[in-house]
Amino acid sequence: QDGTVSLWSVAGLLIDDLGDGVLSPITALTFSPDGQSMSVGYANGGIKVWSVQDYQLSVEFDGDGTTVTSIGYRPNGSEMVAVYQDSVSAVAQAVIWPTPAGASQQPVAELDDLPLVSGTPVYSPDSGGNYLAIPFEDGTFRIWSTDQYQLLANREAYLVPVDSLQYHPSAKSLTTVGVNGSINVWSTNTYQQIAVLTEADLSNGFGVAKHTAGGRLIGINHHGELQIWSSGESFHLIKKIGLGGGHNKVITDLNFGQDLLIEIDALGSA
């Protein structure tokens, strides 16, 4: 809330506190794909990019008072997308900024008059990040090409907000998760739905679903049950694993380190 970012080592040691007199709450934070920079968004609409090598401020984008709610990087690190929105106007804007910023600090593109964004925008995982997908609170998601940021598709996924979305590592499909817990898979060639992995069930829906580097889809439902789907086009269910020792746990995020990936692969092939 005081606008300060604290950096910690994986051993739990405080490395540094980054702050530059910004008296505005931090509302978004992400690292660049190469891990060399950290972008921080603020409630006042400002964005600061810090070097994690020397912990110095690299560049700053001034805000107009509209809250930065999420930031995402293009895979090659050449651009980042920042979402600006507030609940009063009920509209959002996505601005694509060059990284590193040039002297003019002019945006690459501005996507205006969007519905309220419900999750973090994601670029396709191909080396150029040729597509940008954004989820919305009205239950839709949209996809733009990144050469000139032309809108390619606008699809209704749910009657409720799209909680998150993620590209398959091959970039051949896109997985969406609704706040009702439903997981759907969409073709990135036709932008049509190709699979419904779980039906909407508020009592037992999925709070998170992500792909491993190998393409398998891992989801955890609201009862703390982990499910693993194959990485092929059929997305058939491989395994169900109960978590939490029989106690229901709502898990809202899932990330993979090397050890976890090995464990999941072993469980999935058991």
Side-chain angles (χ1 to χ4, degrees), residues 4-61:
T4 300
V5 179
S6 296
L7 288 179
W8 302 80
S9 71
V10 293
L13 300 177
L14 180 63
I15 298 174
D16 204 348
D17 284 325
L18 303 181
D20 196 32
V22 180
L23 299 179
S24 179
I26 293 172
T27 52
L29 187 152
T30 190
F31 286 91
S32 61
D34 62 7
Q36 300 303 305
S37 300
M38 178 179 63
S39 294
V40 182
Y42 297 88
N44 65 6
I47 296 177
K48 291 179 180 289
V49 182
W50 300 84
S51 166
V52 298
Q53 296 246 342
D54 54 14
Y55 313 118
Q56 297 298 309
L57 183 64
S58 301
V59 67
E60 180 177 1
F61 300 102

Side-chain angles (χ1 to χ4, degrees), residues 59-231:
V59 67
E60 180 177 1
F61 300 102
D62 294 329
D64 61 359
T66 305
T67 300
V68 179
T69 58
S70 58
I71 300 173
Y73 270 92
R74 199 166 176 172
N76 60 14
S78 63
E79 297 171 356
M80 68 177 179
V81 55
V83 173
Y84 302 81
Q85 62 188 12
D86 63 74
S87 57
V88 176
S89 61
V91 294
Q93 179 190 44
V95 178
I96 291 82
W97 297 100
T99 54
S104 63
Q105 296 186 11
Q106 293 300 309
V108 175
E110 297 179 350
L111 310 179
D112 299 318
D113 299 322
L114 301 175
L116 289 178
V117 176
S118 53
T120 301
V122 295
Y123 284 93
S124 57
D126 48 275
S127 59
N130 294 322
Y131 304 96
L132 172 67
I134 302 180
F136 297 101
E137 288 192 3
D138 65 0
T140 66
F141 67 90
R142 301 182 188 183
I143 298 177
W144 288 261
S145 64
T146 56
D147 51 356
Q148 295 183 343
Y149 284 93
Q150 297 296 313
L151 182 64
L152 299 177
N154 181 359
R155 293 290 180 265
E156 180 178 294
Y158 312 104
L159 298 177
V160 296
V162 180
D163 190 48
S164 64
L165 44 76
Q166 186 188 26
Y167 278 95
H168 187 276
S170 69
K172 293 182 178 180
S173 64
L174 180 74
T175 299
T176 59
V177 181
V179 297
N180 59 4
S182 178
I183 302 176
N184 295 3
V185 183
W186 305 77
S187 166
T188 52
N189 290 323
T190 64
Y191 307 113
Q192 299 300 314
Q193 182 176 284
I194 56 176
V196 177
L197 302 186
T198 63
E199 297 295 340
D201 184 351
L202 291 176
S203 65
N204 194 31
F206 283 73
V208 61
K210 290 187 175 182
H211 287 285
T212 67
R216 287 182 174 178
L217 183 66
I218 312 295
I220 302 178
N221 63 25
H222 297 325
H223 286 177
E225 181 183 65
L226 183 147
Q227 296 189 16
I228 304 172
W229 288 271
S230 68
S231 60

